């Protein structure tokens, strides 16, 4: 099997919809938060920029505290589409970062992750 190495200098970590009201419905959600937190920390160490989304936060709540405290000032982009790429502000953030390899972590994999 060929090795697939993610290019650090061309990557951006996309943290997708790890929100208060969604999280309790996710199987093994403590592990999801832990693993996402590890990815966020690794991105920080490697200098990989972050972009964070929240799906309609006034209805689904903000990003959970355990994740938000690791974001070190990264802006959170509110979206109303399932795909992050349907949100103009998200697309602008990706363009501004100038990275072409998206590394995704988050919840609602069957909708928001898959459609992004």
């Amino acid at each position: 099997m060929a090795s697939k190495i993610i290019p650090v200098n061309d990557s951006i970590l996309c943290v997708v919809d790890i929100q208060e009201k969604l999280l309790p419905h996710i199987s093994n959600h403590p592990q999801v938060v832990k693993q996402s937190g590890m990815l966020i920390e690794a991105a920080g160490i490697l200098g990989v920029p972050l972009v964070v989304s929240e799906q309609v936060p006034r209805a689904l709540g903000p990003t959970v505290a355990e994740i938000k405290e690791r974001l070190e000032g990264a802006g959170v982009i509110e979206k109303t589409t399932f795909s992050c790429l349907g949100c103009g502000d998200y697309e602008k953030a990706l363009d501004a970062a100038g990275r072409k390899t998206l590394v995704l972590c988050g919840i609602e994999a069957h909708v928001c992750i898959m459609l992004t």
Side-chain angles (χ1 to χ4, degrees):
M1 178 186 293
S3 173
K4 293 193 179 192
I5 297 175
I6 297 171
V8 172
N9 294 333
D10 194 39
S11 296
I12 184 166
L13 178 60
C14 304
V15 181
V16 182
D17 305 348
I18 306 178
Q19 295 170 252
E20 289 179 354
K21 290 186 181 177
L22 295 173
L23 198 62
H25 303 285
I26 303 302
S27 176
N28 200 14
H29 64 271
Q31 189 67 18
V32 171
V33 171
K34 179 181 176 182
Q35 297 294 333
S36 296
M38 289 171 59
L39 275 171
I40 293 165
E41 285 183 28
I45 291 167
L46 295 170
V48 172
L50 301 172
V51 63
V52 182
S53 71
E54 290 178 346
Q55 178 76 22
V56 193
R58 58 193 169 278
L60 300 175
T63 299
V64 296
E66 298 93 335
I67 295 297
K68 198 164 207 161
E69 66 191 21
R70 296 174 184 229
L71 298 177
E72 296 183 27
V76 176
I77 298 169
E78 181 176 335
K79 65 185 182 72
T80 57
T81 59
F82 290 124
S83 171
C84 292
L85 299 179
C87 173
D89 289 341
Y90 201 93
E91 290 179 11
K92 287 177 191 173
L94 292 177
D95 288 343
R99 307 288 179 108
K100 297 195 183 330
T101 303
L102 278 61
V103 178
L104 301 172
C105 73
I107 58 177
E108 295 295 308
H110 66 291
V111 179
C112 297
I113 297 287
M114 189 171 95
L115 291 175
T116 297

